[in-house]
Each structure stands twice: as C-alpha cells, then as structure tokens.
Amino acid sequence: LAKTTQPISMDSYEGQEVNITCSHNNIATNDYITWYQQFPSQGPRFIIQGYKTKVTNEVASLFIPADRKSSTLSLPRVSLSDTAVYYCLVGDMAGGYNKLIFGAGTRLAVHP
Amino acid sequence: DAGVTQSPTHLIKTRGQQVTLRCSPKSGHDTVSWYQQALGQGPQFIFQYYEEEERQRGNFPDRFSGHQFPNYSSELNVNALLLGDSALYLCASSLKGWEQYFGPGTRLTVT
C-alpha cells in the first residue's frame, strides 16, 4: 500500500478555509484516496474519497492533480467543531479487501 | 439505524490476564475489522473478518485472536496482556470491505 505524508499539525481560525495536503508519490493505478476525521476518544469518520480531479460533498472537497502523487483536502469556513485529526489514506478499494493503513494524521486546531 | 456498537466502553485489566472485546456491526454490513490505537498515534490494523473467517491480518502476535458470529458480530480476544496493550480498540464494519464505519472504541488499560 502506498505511503502517505502529511503535516503533523495545522492551526486555523473560525471562518477560514483550511487546505491539508497529502503526498503519496507511490500511488498505484488502482488506488483511491480517502480522508478520515477523528475526534478525541472516538472512532475515525469517513469524510471523502476520490480517484482523480475533484470530488465535493457537503463536508469537504478533495482535489487530486493529474499525476495523483498528492491530494488536498479542503474544508470551507471551518468552525471550532472541526478541531480534530485528519488522516489521508491510499489504497486499492476494489475487491473488498481494503484494510486501512493510517499514518499519524494532521492535527487541526481551529481557534476562535 | 444503529451504527457500530462496541462493549465495554472502558476496561481495566492486570498484566497476564485475558480480555474479550465485542463489536456489533452496522446493520447490513458483513465485514468487521479491528484496529488498535495507541495514544497520539493513528489506528493500526489488527485483522479483518468476513464470512466468519479471518481474511487479513496485520502485524500483531498470536495473542490477538478473534471470531465472527453468524449474525456478523465479532469478538477480539487478547491473551497474556502486556502493559503495551493499553490502547483504544476500534471496530469498523463495512459491506464487502468498502467504506468502513467505526465504532466509538473500547479503552483498555493494562496495569
């Protein structure tokens, strides 16, 4: 499974847009990019998943350049409740054998 | 629709003891995965169960074992507990291994 690299921590303020970039230079053709969010003492929660270009849902947007060696999670107008750890994962989602490999994640702190 | 549930919420055990953690998957899900999360780290994959069999296993010793029942619920057993086994144990369920839904976890403390 492809290894990912993301910043250890980020700080932001309420109402700002936050962009978290993840590097995955060894991504394979069949790999998808998935982001999870985790609050303290809770299990991770699926945010968004994509293969190429741009994916948007009610929570976030995911931007993936043509070479797919990196991706950017964009959180619009963050609030204090967005303070959490964000994990970028890369793996083959076909065939139903997707064990999730988590890195250390990015600790996002949103300030008033 | 109930999500993934885990029991107990918290547990305190002594070194050398054995522990069993339980997980009920989200309705309609047939695959259960277990993860161990140490403080300040990302979750680490232990194993995955599908059709009552262990389908994949991470880099964990044989002291960690599991079981899946016909109703898709699952148990994680850890024998001969070590201090290093203290962690948050997460269960995740999915349908045929796709998008995984995590439970709240069981906080295990080994003293």
Side-chain angles (χ1 to χ4, degrees):
Chain A
L1 294 175
K3 179 180 178 180
T4 61
T5 302
Q6 52 184 123
I8 295 175
S9 64
M10 294 182 67
D11 288 275
S12 184
Y13 293 90
E14 285 189 291
Q16 290 189 333
E17 178 183 73
V18 171
N19 295 309
I20 306 175
T21 298
C22 178
S23 174
H24 28 80
N25 292 319
N26 296 323
I27 190 169
T29 302
N30 292 333
D31 286 346
Y32 279 72
I33 300 153
T34 309
W35 286 80
Y36 278 80
Q37 174 193 55
Q38 186 176 27
F39 299 111
S41 298
Q42 293 186 27
R45 181 176 75 104
F46 173 92
I47 300 177
I48 197 166
Q49 182 180 86
Y51 184 81
K52 63 180 180 180
T53 63
K54 176 183 175 181
V55 179
T56 298
N57 61 23
E58 65 278 5
V59 177
S61 294
L62 178 59
F63 298 92
I64 307 168
D67 65 5
R68 304 201 326 122
K69 293 185 183 300
S70 67
S71 59
T72 299
L73 174 72
S74 181
L75 305 172
R77 298 179 298 280
V78 294
S79 64
L80 295 177
S81 63
D82 292 316
T83 294
V85 179
Y86 293 82
Y87 297 97
C88 167
L89 293 84
V90 173
D92 186 351
M93 296 300 168
Y97 284 81
N98 60 332
K99 63 179 181 181
L100 301 180
I101 306 298
F102 289 84
T106 297
R107 295 183 177 276
L108 172 65
V110 179
H111 305 281
Chain B
D1 175 27
V4 179
T5 59
Q6 294 185 243
S7 62
T9 305
H10 296 88
L11 201 54
I12 299 175
K13 290 287 189 178
T14 304
R15 277 180 300 176
Q17 286 188 318
Q18 178 264 343
V19 68
T20 297
L21 309 182
R22 296 176 176 81
C23 171
S24 291
K26 181 178 170 65
S27 178
H29 285 184
D30 59 4
T31 304
V32 173
S33 303
W34 287 92
Y35 295 81
Q36 179 196 65
Q37 186 172 27
L39 202 60
Q41 298 182 21
Q44 301 299 304
F45 176 79
I46 303 175
F47 42 54
Q48 183 180 84
Y49 277 85
Y50 173 70
E51 292 188 341
E52 302 181 48
E53 292 191 359
E54 183 182 291
R55 183 161 69 176
Q56 291 190 90
R57 189 178 183 91
N59 188 27
F60 280 80
D62 292 343
R63 297 187 298 109
F64 289 78
S65 63
H67 188 78
Q68 185 179 36
F69 299 94
N71 66 353
Y72 306 118
S73 67
S74 176
E75 288 182 349
L76 164 65
N77 301 292
V78 186
N79 295 322
L81 284 168
L82 304 173
L83 294 179
D85 294 331
S86 295
L88 179 68
Y89 287 85
L90 295 161
C91 168
S93 75
S94 57
L95 179 61
K96 301 194 187 311
W98 282 86
E99 179 185 330
Q100 297 193 19
Y101 291 78
F102 284 80
T106 293
R107 173 71 63 186
L108 173 64
T109 302
V110 182
T111 62

